[in-house]
């Protein structure tokens, strides 16, 4: 669907003032102001993102209590199980706490539920089995804050339960020995956006302090924590939490750790993803290369293999696991393409842009581990909240659904409004999961779409591109783009700069690239300057671009490509249009 382009307003005086007081290049000053950073001190803190900028772990609500009780359990030789989630955030968080407890000599194991058979979070059967196997203390990561009934069962089974989580809470809290959560009621932690792995990192840090009986930990623990920052970065990027404040620090230093001191498993993964020779790693490398491979394990019901990769000390085993996860990811991509084609066809037949505020799609045979990715692609295509539901082949078990949202629409609140039709649900504003009796599907679709219609205004039903500035292609020299890279790491909450240029023409015909011709490569020209551009996931632009007989406008992210050992500027196309008119914000 066509997007609305919005050009951010510029104040030349503010840009000049920040440039003068900070000594920054004009382009960096302009981009910082676009991000709400207008004074030199704040700009310096943002750009430097020093590790010392992380808040003390004991400031995180519940963290001190959890660290004290964990340390008591370690010293008492009690059997501890780290209970995680199957996505990258949960896998990374599980690995952080398992590695920390192992370092301290704990009797520790881990458990991660099977995505399709058990679903998300704590479940009664798993708790019962773990108790029978001798578990004495369960500590959750990236899950558990809504597990009220499961917490009661844990108590009945004689299990001590501690919860570390970052997801939205229910109306009440579980009866647990400790709960670590940035938004725990009665506390005022200043940064609510930590990922599950970020929370786990803070708990591990506090536990190391507890074991050291000092704020400064010994050398072995310090080395562990510096390595664990890489795992925290994996979860932070993969869970699409805002890359600001503490998250920005964790990712910035996590990328350095990933490059300079990767674990045996992460080193194998970097080789499998063909990233080991890169001079510097980026958040996009995590998002598009590392995270999908780790996520593939959970999506295909084998999350324990991703955890094993992250904790193994065997180079041989790490290489085997990395290669296997590579193959799983290829299988996942094939499944994703197949489901997307079917879901897109179903959406095209059902969707009326003038009437429908949301999409609820369902079918049998859709792999429950992949529908979340496809839901995200459907949202991108139609700019509407989308729920994809995998129905049981026999119609006996509940259908399993994944939902993705658009800016401004709270999925968790929408599912809460429709909970009478659901067996269960959970998640947050941007992404959620659910289970539903197939007989309630039509009623759920009607109520969910009605709720969306009341919550999403007409103007919100058009996707917007917020453009930082308009500039000619000649402005994007290697030096200029290197200056822009000072704002990295880029991701949700700190997107890579988006620029636009008008009067652009094709220098060569576009060509499809990648598996199934999903992507598009094109050479563009403007005022005697030509540049290579790539449009990821936009292979279907080819016929329209070929038909463009007049200059057009492009919106793009300038990036530095190191293909073939040389460094050059390329453009990642976000959109193009024949009408160059822009609406200033």
């Amino acid at each position: 669907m066509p997007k609305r382009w919005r050009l951010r307003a510029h104040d030349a005086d503010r840009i000049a003032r920040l440039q003068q007081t900070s000594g920054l290049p004009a382009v960096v000053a302009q981009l910082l102001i676009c991000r709400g950073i207008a004074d030199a001190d704040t700009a310096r803190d943002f750009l430097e993102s020093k590790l010392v900028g992380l808040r003390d772990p004991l400031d995180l609500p519940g963290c001190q209590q959890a660290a004290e009780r964990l340390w008591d359990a370690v010293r008492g030789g009690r059997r501890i199980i780290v209970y995680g989630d199957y996505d990258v955030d949960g896998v990374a968080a599980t690995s952080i706490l398992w590695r920390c407890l192992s370092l301290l000599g704990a009797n520790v194991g881990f458990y991660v539920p099977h995505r399709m058979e058990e679903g998300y979070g704590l479940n009664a059967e798993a708790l019962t089995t773990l108790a029978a196997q001798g578990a004495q203390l369960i500590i959750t990561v990236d899950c558990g804050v809504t597990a009220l009934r499961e917490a009661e069962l844990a108590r009945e089974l004689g299990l001590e339960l501690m919860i570390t989580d970052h997801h939205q809470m229910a109306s009440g809290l579980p009866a647990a020995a400790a709960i670590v959560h940035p938004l725990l009621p009665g506390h005022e932690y200043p940064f609510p956006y930590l990922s599950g792995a970020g929370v786990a990192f803070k708990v591990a840090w506090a536990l190391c302090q507890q074991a050291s009986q000092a704020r400064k930990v010994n050398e072995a623990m310090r080395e562990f924590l510096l390595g664990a920052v890489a795992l925290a970065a994996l979860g932070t990027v993969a869970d699409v939490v805002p890359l600001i404040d503490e998250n920005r620090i964790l990712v910035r230093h996590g990328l350095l750790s990933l490059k300079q001191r990767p674990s045996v498993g992460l080193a194998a993964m970097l080789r499998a993803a063909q990233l080991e020779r890169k001079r510097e790693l980026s958040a996009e490398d995590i998002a598009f290369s590392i995270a999908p491979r780790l996520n593939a394990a959970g999506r295909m019901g084998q999350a324990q293999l991703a955890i094993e990769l992250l904790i193994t000390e065997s180079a041989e085993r790490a290489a085997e696991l990395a290669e296997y996860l590579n193959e799983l990811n290829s299988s996942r991509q094939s499944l994703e393409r197949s489901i997307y084609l079917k879901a897109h066809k179903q959406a095209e037949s059902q969707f009326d842009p003038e009437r429908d505020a949301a999409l609820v799609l369902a079918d049998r045979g859709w792999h429950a581990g992949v529908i979340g990715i496809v839901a995200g692609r459907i949202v991108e295509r139609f700019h509407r909240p989308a729920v994809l539901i995998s129905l049981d082949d026999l119609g006996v078990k509940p259908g399993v659904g994944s939902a993705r949202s658009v800016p401004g629409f709270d999925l968790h609140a929408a599912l809460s409004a429709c909970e009478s039709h659901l067996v269960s649900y959970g998640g947050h504003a941007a992404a959620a999961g659910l289970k539903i009796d197939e007989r309630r599907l039509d009623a759920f679709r009607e109520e969910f779409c009605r709720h969306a219609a009341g919550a999403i205004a007409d103007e919100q039903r058009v996707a917007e591109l917020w453009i930082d500035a308009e500039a000619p292609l000649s402005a994007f020299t290697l030096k200029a783009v290197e200056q822009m890279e000072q704002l990295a790491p880029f991701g949700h909450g700190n997107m890579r700069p988006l620029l636009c240029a008008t009067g652009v023409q094709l220098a060569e015909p576009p060509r499809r690239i990648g598996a199934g011709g999903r992507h598009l490569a094109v050479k563009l020209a403007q005022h005697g300057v030509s540049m290579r551009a790539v449009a990821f996931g936009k292979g279907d632009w080819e016929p329209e671009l070929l038909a463009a007989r007049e200059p057009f406008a492009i919106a793009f992210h300038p990036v530095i490509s190191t293909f073939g050992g040389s460094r050059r500027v390329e453009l990642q196309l976000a959109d193009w249009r024949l009408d160059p008119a822009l609406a200033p914000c």
Side-chain angles (χ1 to χ4, degrees):
M1 297 180 67
K3 295 179 174 66
R4 182 186 298 121
W5 291 19
R6 303 291 300 275
L7 183 63
R8 298 187 189 277
H10 294 140
D11 185 327
D13 291 338
R14 293 179 74 201
I15 294 171
R17 190 159 52 247
L18 179 58
Q19 183 184 8
Q20 182 178 13
T21 56
S22 66
L24 292 169
V27 64
V28 177
Q30 180 174 340
L31 292 171
L32 284 170
I33 288 174
C34 285
R35 286 152 178 75
I37 299 171
D39 67 90
D41 290 341
T42 306
R44 183 183 62 252
D45 290 344
F46 179 86
L47 293 174
E48 292 180 351
S49 296
K50 293 181 178 179
L51 201 54
V52 294
L54 291 175
R55 296 176 181 85
D56 192 298
L58 300 186
D59 292 339
L60 183 64
C63 196
Q64 180 169 356
Q65 183 181 6
E68 290 173 353
R69 297 187 77 106
L70 272 177
W71 181 232
D72 286 343
V74 173
R75 289 187 297 174
R78 301 172 68 200
R79 179 62 173 169
I80 302 169
I81 299 295
V82 182
Y83 190 113
D85 186 25
Y86 39 67
D87 67 3
V88 175
D89 193 21
V91 163
T94 302
S95 302
I96 289 170
L97 272 191
W98 187 94
R99 292 180 74 103
C100 181
L101 288 162
S102 296
L103 175 67
L104 300 179
N107 178 8
V108 62
F110 68 83
Y111 183 86
V112 58
H114 189 284
R115 185 178 194 127
M116 279 69 78
E117 295 178 4
E118 298 173 83
Y120 168 77
L122 282 174
N123 69 80
E125 185 176 346
L127 289 174
T128 303
T129 300
L130 290 170
Q133 291 173 348
Q136 295 169 288
L137 186 155
I138 306 288
I139 179 165
T140 73
V141 290
D142 196 33
C143 65
V145 77
T146 61
L148 277 65
R149 287 177 293 184
E150 290 78 9
E152 291 297 334
L153 175 61
R155 177 178 293 179
E156 294 170 10
L157 293 168
L159 294 169
E160 182 175 0
L161 177 65
M162 290 194 284
I163 291 169
T164 77
D165 203 350
H166 71 123
H167 290 99
Q168 194 161 333
M169 290 171 276
S171 55
L173 289 173
I179 299 177
V180 187
H181 195 293
L183 291 174
L184 198 64
H187 300 267
E188 294 185 359
Y189 193 68
F191 186 62
Y193 303 117
L194 287 172
S195 67
V199 172
F201 176 80
K202 291 290 187 98
V203 173
W205 184 2
L207 182 55
C208 288
Q209 290 179 333
Q210 191 70 32
S212 303
Q213 290 297 294
R215 303 191 96 176
K216 187 174 181 179
V217 303
N218 66 33
E219 186 61 25
M221 294 178 190
R222 180 179 180 275
E223 280 301 308
F224 156 72
L225 289 170
L226 289 174
V229 174
L231 294 172
L234 290 182
T236 299
V237 172
D239 218 48
V240 201
V241 289
L243 293 192
I244 56 176
D245 202 279
E246 290 192 280
N247 288 341
R248 177 177 171 81
I249 297 171
L250 287 170
V251 173
R252 186 177 194 127
H253 291 274
L255 289 167
L256 292 174
S257 177
L258 187 59
K259 181 65 179 176
Q260 296 169 0
R261 47 161 60 84
S263 66
V264 172
L266 284 174
M269 178 56 73
L270 289 175
R271 288 192 294 273
Q274 300 182 340
L275 294 172
E276 80 278 14
R277 295 184 183 276
K278 282 198 70 174
R279 187 170 69 173
E280 295 178 347
L281 296 173
S282 69
E284 290 102 330
D285 290 324
I286 291 178
F288 301 115
S289 294
I290 300 174
R293 287 169 167 80
L294 292 172
N295 230 348
R299 293 188 182 282
M300 308 303 275
Q302 301 182 60
Q304 73 279 0
L305 296 182
I307 297 173
E308 186 183 351
L309 174 72
L310 296 179
I311 65 176
T312 186
E313 297 296 332
S314 165
E316 183 178 356
R317 179 59 175 159
E320 291 174 355
L321 288 167
E323 183 56 37
Y324 182 62
L325 293 184
N326 224 11
E327 294 171 3
L328 275 185
N329 190 50
S330 296
S331 298
R332 187 272 306 167
Q333 290 173 326
S334 178
L335 272 173
E336 177 194 336
R337 285 192 291 270
S338 173
I339 295 172
Y340 176 76
L341 289 173
K342 295 175 183 177
H344 184 270
K345 183 177 180 180
Q346 190 178 130
E348 288 278 17
S349 67
Q350 294 180 7
F351 181 67
D352 182 341
E354 301 298 324
R355 177 196 67 208
D356 297 325
L359 285 160
V360 177
L361 310 174
D363 205 349
R364 304 189 197 284
W366 287 355
H367 194 289
V370 179
I371 54 176
I373 302 175
V374 178
R377 292 184 62 188
I378 292 293
V379 170
E380 183 181 351
R381 171 66 179 83
F382 295 96
H383 195 67
R384 297 290 191 277
V387 183
L388 261 68
I389 299 172
S390 173
L391 299 174
D392 181 45
D393 286 339
L394 300 177
V396 177
K397 297 179 180 179
V400 176
S402 284
R404 297 295 183 268
S405 191
V406 295
F409 181 71
D410 188 331
L411 267 180
H412 192 273
L415 294 180
S416 297
C418 304
E419 64 179 341
S420 62
H421 304 296
L422 303 174
V423 174
S424 63
Y425 68 95
H428 44 78
L434 60 89
K435 289 186 178 180
I436 184 171
D437 187 313
E438 185 175 339
R439 293 169 296 183
R440 305 293 298 175
L441 177 59
D442 290 339
F444 166 71
R445 179 185 287 114
E446 183 178 345
E447 186 161 350
F448 184 83
C449 292
R450 183 166 57 245
H451 179 88
I456 304 175
D458 289 344
E459 60 270 19
Q460 291 178 290
R461 300 184 189 187
V462 178
E464 291 186 330
L465 283 182
W466 287 87
I467 295 170
D468 291 300
E470 181 180 357
L473 298 187
S474 59
F476 300 102
T477 63
L478 191 59
K479 180 179 179 181
V481 179
E482 285 175 338
Q483 291 172 341
M484 293 180 193
E485 290 289 330
Q486 294 181 52
L487 277 70
F490 299 117
H492 179 56
N494 180 43
M495 300 303 293
R496 182 174 285 278
L498 181 64
L499 292 305
C500 74
T502 59
V504 176
Q505 295 176 299
L506 291 176
E508 296 176 1
R511 58 186 178 87
R512 294 183 184 233
I513 58 174
R518 184 179 171 189
H519 313 305
L520 198 69
V522 59
K523 193 169 185 180
L524 301 171
Q526 181 202 50
H527 309 315
V529 174
S530 62
M531 300 185 78
R532 183 179 186 269
V534 177
F536 291 105
K538 303 297 183 183
D540 55 359
W541 282 357
E542 181 188 25
E544 295 178 55
L545 273 171
L546 278 172
R549 301 301 181 191
E550 57 187 272
F552 48 87
I554 57 171
F556 58 92
H557 307 283
V559 299
I560 296 174
S561 170
T562 56
F563 182 77
S566 62
R567 303 177 78 236
R568 63 180 183 184
V569 176
E570 290 188 350
L571 310 180
Q572 291 181 355
L573 291 184
D575 199 16
W576 71 281
R577 57 191 295 177
L578 291 175
D579 177 10
L582 302 177
C585 65

